Amino acid sequence: MTPLETEIRAMIAQEGPMPLERYMALALGHPTLGYYMTRDPFGASGDFVTAPEISQMFGELLGLWAAEVWTMMGAPAPVRLVELGPGRGALIADALRAAAVAPAFRAAVSVELVETSPALRKRQAAALAGVGLPVAWRERLEDVPDGPMIVLANEFFDALPVRHYVRVGEGWRERLVGLGPDGALAFGVAPFAEPAIAVPAPEGAVMELSPIGHRVAATLARRLARDGGAALIVDYGHLRSGFGETLQAVRAHRYADPLRDVGEADLTAHVDFASLGEAARRAGAAVHGPIAQGALLRRLGLAQRAERLARGADEAGARAIAAATHRLAGAGADAMGELFKAVAFAHPDLPAPPGFETQGAPPA
Ligand code: SAH
């Protein structure tokens, strides 16, 4: 049993079963024992691989996106370049390197990294050593100082805790984590239905809600609508809201039991882009997309970027670049191009950001 599981079992023994949302928050973000707090989970030797870890092209294209958005904003100086959950710092380092083609943008930037993990803050500092720009770390988006900003978030929202309600009889009961007869962690439901939710559904249906993600989206949207700017959010998720749970645990590139190896396996849930966009719209931002990650990267010039990189590479290098291009933008289960989606939130007066121009108005 992990030390965090011992601690959570003790909490439950003392206070009773806890909402899934709190369990997930502890498993990922417990101040000393949470998954992200203690380790570097990325890469081939870690638990999972993310787009910026697959290829430098991902961060480079997002860096060029940011530079173009800045021009559309009227080139405000200073401008905050914010990343939510920067992981190892690869995306922001690649973005800033690519932004060297827009020296006025780069000179106006101050970097703001929203990151709770001390272990990952260290990795990010190392990745940005010598970047020659001011870098500040913040605990929460709310701590980023006022002013125009451009925000990047890759695989951040899927790490935020979700809440589940299960259809039992005529009502919806919140999913809890409690102790089974053998004392091990076990899923259960609240003894009473939540009276505020009255959506019909078949027995056993699961409603997955992301109040924390929606709060972040609304905060982001309010800031963008007030001070100007845009945010690009890329994540694993679905376009339409619906019933069903997507909570999953991953350890060493394999699916795992979300109630085992507590604090040592990654827990995520797919992003419900329809609800996330609705939260941002209600808070005053224009919402562009969502579109597939593959479509976004192609429109931002992935093929040209790959070709340029391949020119300087040997044969093995060229093959690796082609493989990375497929993984980032290809269709099918072995690639991210269709499974991952991108959405942009922006000040309502800003034209559609790069990559989103061909999109019509979002469906009502
Ligand atoms: N964007 C990176 C890492 C994704 S993993 C990449 O694409 O590789 C999720 C990241 O979000 C980690 O850096 C994790 O420590 C951070 N994180 C998770 N929950 C957070 C929260 N509530 N507030 C701030 N950062 C958080």
Side-chain angles (χ1 to χ4, degrees):
M1 206 190 322
T2 64
L4 184 54
E5 182 171 352
T6 307
E7 188 159 330
I8 290 178
R9 283 190 190 195
M11 286 177 186
I12 294 171
Q14 197 156 42
E15 303 158 25
M18 61 175 68
L20 171 66
E21 188 182 47
R22 172 150 163 76
Y23 170 77
M24 193 170 168
L26 287 168
L28 294 178
H30 180 285
T32 52
L33 302 171
Y35 178 74
Y36 282 114
M37 295 307 160
T38 51
R39 71 198 59 231
D40 170 2
F42 306 99
S45 59
D47 292 316
F48 55 90
V49 178
T50 59
E53 302 290 330
I54 290 173
S55 167
Q56 67 187 73
M57 294 187 289
F58 186 80
E60 289 171 351
L61 292 172
L62 267 51
L64 298 175
W65 183 90
E68 276 188 59
V69 166
W70 179 71
T71 305
M72 295 168 87
M73 288 163 66
V79 66
R80 303 189 193 288
L81 183 60
V82 182
E83 188 180 358
L84 308 180
R88 278 181 171 177
L91 193 166
I92 192 74
D94 294 337
L96 290 170
R97 195 182 51 250
V101 301
F105 167 61
R106 215 175 172 287
V109 159
S110 70
V111 179
E112 298 274 337
L113 302 179
V114 177
E115 176 60 69
T116 41
S117 161
L120 290 173
R121 283 185 179 200
K122 273 198 203 121
R123 292 288 310 232
Q124 293 153 19
L128 291 179
V131 74
L133 291 172
V135 181
W137 278 267
R138 313 287 179 193
E139 201 64 21
R140 305 171 316 145
L141 174 61
E142 286 83 349
D143 303 330
V144 173
D146 291 349
M149 61 182 186
I150 300 171
V151 183
L152 302 173
N154 185 61
E155 291 209 45
F156 171 74
F157 282 89
D158 71 351
L160 300 179
V162 292
R163 205 180 282 181
H164 282 177
Y165 290 93
V166 184
R167 181 77 180 188
V168 180
E170 294 295 290
W172 291 95
R173 299 202 197 178
E174 184 164 17
R175 177 167 278 165
L176 307 176
V177 175
L179 301 177
D182 55 350
L185 297 178
F187 285 122
V189 290
F192 303 105
E194 167 59 56
I197 310 180
V199 188
E203 181 77 14
V206 176
M207 189 188 287
E208 186 171 81
L209 303 179
S210 314
I212 295 175
H214 297 165
R215 197 180 65 212
V216 177
T219 303
L220 205 50
R222 220 174 291 123
R223 294 273 310 250
L224 294 171
R226 190 191 61 201
D227 296 346
L232 180 59
I233 294 158
V234 182
D235 228 307
Y236 196 73
H238 43 277
L239 297 178
R240 281 205 182 78
S241 309
F243 295 123
E245 55 190 305
T246 69
L247 177 74
Q248 64 185 34
V250 166
R251 190 178 191 194
H253 303 271
R254 284 171 198 279
Y255 290 113
D257 181 338
L259 298 183
R260 300 285 168 270
D261 301 325
V262 189
E264 292 180 0
D266 186 32
L267 289 180
T268 60
H270 297 186
V271 173
D272 174 351
F273 278 94
S275 300
L276 197 72
E278 187 54 31
R281 214 174 282 122
R282 288 185 190 187
V287 176
H288 302 274
I291 60 175
Q293 170 173 310
L296 175 73
L297 295 180
R298 278 190 294 275
R299 289 176 194 165
L300 297 183
L302 177 65
Q304 294 84 333
R305 196 94 197 152
E307 200 184 311
R308 261 191 52 195
L309 273 181
R311 245 181 270 151
D314 59 13
E315 207 187 305
R319 262 201 309 274
I321 292 163
T325 305
H326 172 72
R327 269 191 88 184
L328 288 176
D334 66 330
M336 309 175 96
E338 300 288 333
L339 295 175
F340 280 68
K341 315 283 188 288
V343 69
F345 303 158
H347 188 282
D349 296 342
L350 205 68
F356 295 89
E357 303 93 340
T358 56
Q359 296 294 301

